[in-house]
Amino acid sequence: QVTLRESGPALVKPTQTLTLTCTLSGFSLSTSEVCVSWIRQPPGKALEWLARIDWDDDKYYSPSLKTRLTISKDTSKNQVVLTMTNMDPVDTATYFCARLLTSIGVEDSWGQGTLVTVSS
Amino acid sequence: DIQMTQSPSTLSASVGDRVIITCRASQSIETWLAWFQQKPGKAPKLLIYKSSSLESGVPSRFSGSGSGTEFTLTISSLQPDDFATYYCQQYSDYRTFGQGSKVEIK
């Protein structure tokens, strides 16, 4: 069974760096054509794609956020980590990680999401 | 950036109705379009990819069509479980989501 689980702080202060971890189960990021994306959703608003990392360590970032984002993977732990610097209250959102298979090109399995609030 | 515009933003419908949601891209994305369903407090669920390919396990009452800049998601006969918000996503150039279309009970 494919599952993804996001973890990280529920509350961060403005200007701090957010670090989120996505733990994968039922599949491996060392398998060819497997990728993981991060997507966020502010309360009551639409989805916003953030970043993606591929099995071969290729990385892609949202052009509007690329200066603040870093995505990495730890294959031995089957985890993907996203860091976002200089957090602001507008970054308050539920953050999702999701599996992407290049065979279909889109995110087919999602984690439940983790709500991050940015407030002093 | 490719912008995605969905219409309507909200739709009131009854069980059994045929529902059509439209998504327009700001430039051609060929058929690199997906549709997701999201219920309150839950993660999005993939319904359709590559404009018209039905994801495994998704009921056949859902269908997608379109290419270039105009796309539609059709629910042939709305069921109680279908009341939700629907998002289109382009994956021609990075990824962009539409603003969502909420299907409400009439």
Side-chain angles (χ1 to χ4, degrees):
Chain A
Q1 181 186 3
V2 170
T3 63
L4 303 95
R5 179 171 51 87
E6 306 88 349
S7 58
L11 179 67
V12 298
K13 292 181 172 15
T15 76
Q16 286 186 336
T17 294
L18 171 68
T19 299
L20 295 172
T21 300
C22 178
T23 301
L24 319 177
S25 179
F27 71 102
S28 171
L29 197 45
S30 60
T31 302
S32 182
E33 302 187 354
V34 174
C35 318
V36 170
S37 293
W38 283 95
I39 301 103
R40 70 179 179 179
Q41 185 173 39
K45 296 189 177 181
L47 299 158
E48 179 183 19
W49 177 80
L50 301 176
R52 162 183 153 183
I53 188 165
D54 294 357
W55 77 99
D56 59 1
D57 212 36
D58 279 349
K59 300 166 187 175
Y60 306 87
Y61 296 100
S62 165
S64 62
L65 292 168
K66 66 181 297 183
T67 61
R68 299 174 54 205
L69 295 173
T70 302
I71 192 169
S72 62
K73 62 183 174 72
D74 185 332
T75 304
S76 65
K77 295 183 178 178
N78 220 17
Q79 291 180 332
V80 174
V81 175
L82 181 75
T83 63
M84 179 180 290
T85 62
N86 195 25
M87 293 293 284
D88 183 272
V90 300
D91 297 313
T92 294
T94 295
Y95 288 75
F96 297 97
C97 60
R99 183 184 76 166
L100 184 154
L101 300 177
T102 58
S103 56
I104 63 171
V106 295
E107 292 80 5
D108 70 330
S109 296
W110 294 58
Q112 63 187 15
T114 186
L115 176 62
V116 178
T117 301
V118 185
S119 174
S120 55
Chain B
D1 286 15
I2 299 176
Q3 306 302 315
M4 306 301 293
T5 304
Q6 289 183 232
S7 62
S9 295
T10 305
L11 184 157
S12 297
S14 302
V15 172
D17 284 353
R18 181 182 180 88
V19 168
I20 298 174
I21 298 170
T22 298
C23 182
R24 177 176 292 130
S26 59
Q27 64 189 71
S28 177
I29 58 171
E30 299 180 19
T31 55
W32 303 115
L33 185 103
W35 290 96
F36 294 86
Q37 176 194 67
Q38 188 179 32
K39 296 181 179 179
K42 300 294 186 181
K45 173 187 174 184
L46 176 64
L47 300 175
I48 302 277
Y49 61 95
K50 208 161 188 305
S51 178
S52 60
S53 295
L54 194 68
E55 169 70 344
S56 176
V58 174
S60 59
R61 63 180 180 272
F62 291 93
S63 63
S65 65
S67 64
T69 61
E70 299 280 339
F71 301 87
T72 59
L73 172 70
T74 301
I75 309 173
S76 60
S77 178
L78 196 66
Q79 298 301 301
D81 191 47
D82 302 338
F83 292 98
T85 300
Y86 294 84
Y87 292 93
C88 63
Q89 179 210 52
Q90 69 81 18
Y91 53 106
S92 172
D93 180 35
Y94 296 99
R95 271 144 171 75
T96 316
F97 291 90
Q99 82 279 15
S101 295
K102 185 176 182 179
V103 177
E104 296 182 328
I105 299 173
K106 189 172 184 179

